[in-house]
Amino acid sequence: MRSMPHTLPTLVAAMLSSACSATIGGTMADGGPDVGPRRPVDSALSLDVPTGPCRWRVGAAVVLPAITSSAPHRTILDARPAEGGAWVLTSDDAGGDRQPDVALERVDASGNRREDGAVRFPSGYSPSSASLAVDEPLGRRAVLEEVRELRGASCGLTVLDARGNPSPARVIAFPTGGFSLSGCRDLLVNGAGFTFLAEQIRALWGVSVVQLDADGQTPAQLAPSVLDGFPEVLFARVGLPDRSFVLTSKETLGPLPRRTRLHLRRHDERGVALGGVQTPLETLRAVRAFTVTGGVDALMALWEEADASTAPYHVVVRALGADGSPRGEARPLASPGDYQGSLAATWASGDVLAAGLFGSGVLRPVVTPLSPEGSPRGDALAIPVPPGATRVERVRLVATPSGALVLYTTDPGSYPNRLVAVPLTCER
């Protein structure tokens, strides 16, 4: 069985629910270049947006220095809302033969590291891919050491306490009976403990939801199948405020012209399909990454799309009902310049915030406020970049009680680079 691609853009989820914060996780994309010749972003972009429920103000960029070594390359593995700010799982590569060091940054709503807010994981714990799950009402927090290549590596779960301190990692045992399973990804919390997605090792392939208890042990179960197909397709899932989730998958309909169909299906927290609703979103053009924002009452889909195989990508937005049915036409995201990747989104203080990189040279992160129907609410927000940064990558958005945090890293491949947090504040 061939393995799924690993180097893919990020899938981000945001909750359209005033009572719940955003979650972020998953991956689904086509290949393609991230950068190229583009006109620069207008430097006169407004930092205040008077329309909609918020007047958004952009704070200063806060650089979070590494604690693992003097000059590492910092990478964001995952980020989740927690403690009124964000928990950011990082991997710091010091170069040479040394394995990257993993740490958890506990950041407040201003973007600053909390007192004693940097938590180091044990030496030797160095996953190339991991997902972080935080559910404060249930008191559950954990990191899944993801395996996406299906080459026999063990999956592991590390339970965290309320301050992010890790317990000893537990090797995950797959349930017996049913299809043989391999790989693990996309950790979420549910009432019984934690769940993740695993791929079925069989002729026609598929994806199952595996249940773990609160300690990471595997109870007896028949892991429900949530996706079937052949050949394997790109997939990811998005957690929603009621602990249900939306599974997304991408189907290629024809290579010339390249036609793609995107599917959404909503499941309860155990993995059982809710009403069997599946909404295909067909496009006649190449799709690079697919992002879902949504909550109990409504969803929004955002994806990167190109008019032709050689054309630059742009972002398309479409409002959906709670069951995934379209609530309006697909519309392009109003852009302050040429789009260059790193799509992210969250629901914050009554607005949908959509982020990406724009411009040329020093790529500037830009956040665009949208209504739940996908229409723009005022001007885009230019996010500051620290002096000396030559490139920006891995933009993430996390909702906070006061607004949101923009998280990103600078200078891919450079030693050192920087992990940056920028607060967005909603002034009513």
Side-chain angles (χ1 to χ4, degrees):
M1 174 177 181
R2 71 173 171 83
S3 61
M4 300 299 293
H6 178 70
T7 53
L8 303 173
T10 302
L11 177 78
V12 184
M15 313 301 197
L16 263 68
S17 169
S18 59
C20 299
S21 300
T23 65
I24 304 177
T27 309
M28 188 174 74
D30 279 338
D34 282 331
V35 296
R38 301 286 189 270
R39 63 178 179 273
V41 172
D42 184 357
S43 61
L45 286 175
S46 172
L47 296 185
D48 300 323
V49 180
T51 60
C54 292
R55 180 180 179 87
W56 287 102
R57 291 196 177 274
V58 181
V62 179
V63 176
L64 299 166
I67 62 167
T68 56
S69 65
S70 59
H73 180 272
R74 311 210 69 191
T75 299
I76 298 174
L77 293 175
D78 204 356
R80 302 282 171 172
E83 298 184 288
W87 282 11
V88 188
L89 190 68
T90 64
S91 176
D92 294 351
D93 181 5
D97 296 332
R98 177 177 169 180
Q99 284 188 312
D101 294 300
V102 172
L104 182 69
E105 295 275 5
R106 296 166 53 225
V107 181
D108 65 21
S110 70
N112 289 282
R113 182 184 290 158
R114 294 179 180 277
E115 184 178 358
D116 299 325
V119 180
R120 295 190 65 164
F121 277 57
S123 176
Y125 182 85
S126 186
S128 59
S129 179
S131 52
L132 170 67
V134 179
D135 190 314
E136 291 177 313
L138 287 180
R140 294 201 181 115
R141 308 158 184 87
V143 174
L144 175 69
E145 185 176 356
E146 295 186 328
V147 174
R148 292 173 175 248
E149 298 297 335
L150 307 186
R151 293 176 181 170
S154 297
C155 301
L157 187 80
T158 299
V159 176
L160 310 178
D161 68 14
R163 296 177 62 85
N165 296 305
S167 66
R170 177 185 294 276
V171 176
I172 292 172
F174 285 103
T176 57
F179 298 116
S180 296
L181 301 174
S182 183
C184 55
R185 53 182 291 183
D186 295 359
L187 183 69
L188 291 177
V189 175
N190 69 0
F194 303 92
T195 65
F196 65 89
L197 299 183
E199 295 185 52
Q200 300 165 8
I201 309 301
R202 61 188 179 99
L204 295 181
W205 184 73
V207 177
S208 292
V209 176
V210 178
Q211 177 73 55
L212 304 176
D213 67 18
D215 295 322
Q217 303 218 40
T218 307
Q221 62 190 280
L222 290 175
S225 178
V226 292
L227 184 61
D228 296 284
F230 184 83
E232 303 95 321
V233 299
L234 294 169
F235 65 93
R237 70 168 174 172
V238 176
L240 298 178
D242 61 353
R243 301 190 182 94
S244 67
F245 64 89
V246 173
L247 186 78
T248 65
S249 59
K250 186 180 74 65
E251 172 188 11
T252 299
L253 302 179
L256 294 172
R258 191 167 190 176
R259 300 173 64 241
T260 301
R261 180 176 293 155
L262 302 167
H263 294 272
L264 295 87
R265 187 192 297 271
R266 191 165 183 173
H267 300 258
D268 70 14
E269 65 174 27
R270 299 166 298 165
V272 177
L274 295 174
V277 175
Q278 182 166 343
T279 301
L281 303 176
E282 186 170 339
T283 174
L284 301 180
R285 295 169 287 188
V287 172
R288 180 177 177 79
F290 186 59
T291 297
V292 174
T293 76
V296 174
D297 299 322
L299 302 169
M300 182 184 292
L302 300 90
W303 63 89
E304 301 173 357
E305 187 173 283
D307 295 328
S309 60
T310 58
Y313 283 87
H314 57 277
V315 178
V316 177
V317 177
R318 190 167 195 181
L320 308 171
D323 62 356
S325 59
R327 290 195 294 124
E329 297 299 321
R331 64 176 76 188
L333 179 71
S335 171
D338 288 328
Y339 174 72
Q340 296 200 31
S342 205
L343 179 63
T346 192
W347 170 257
S349 305
D351 280 340
V352 177
L353 301 180
L357 297 177
F358 295 85
S360 60
V362 176
L363 304 184
R364 180 185 296 274
V366 175
V367 173
T368 303
L370 302 170
S371 74
E373 288 71 41
S375 58
R377 282 181 163 167
D379 296 330
L381 307 169
I383 306 303
V385 175
T390 60
R391 289 184 62 190
V392 171
E393 64 171 355
R394 297 182 185 271
V395 177
R396 304 292 184 98
L397 275 172
V398 173
T400 67
S402 58
L405 282 170
V406 184
L407 304 160
Y408 62 85
T409 52
T410 69
D411 306 306
S414 298
Y415 293 80
N417 70 338
R418 283 170 280 186
L419 170 63
V420 182
V422 178
L424 303 181
T425 304
C426 170
E427 297 182 354
R428 300 185 185 273

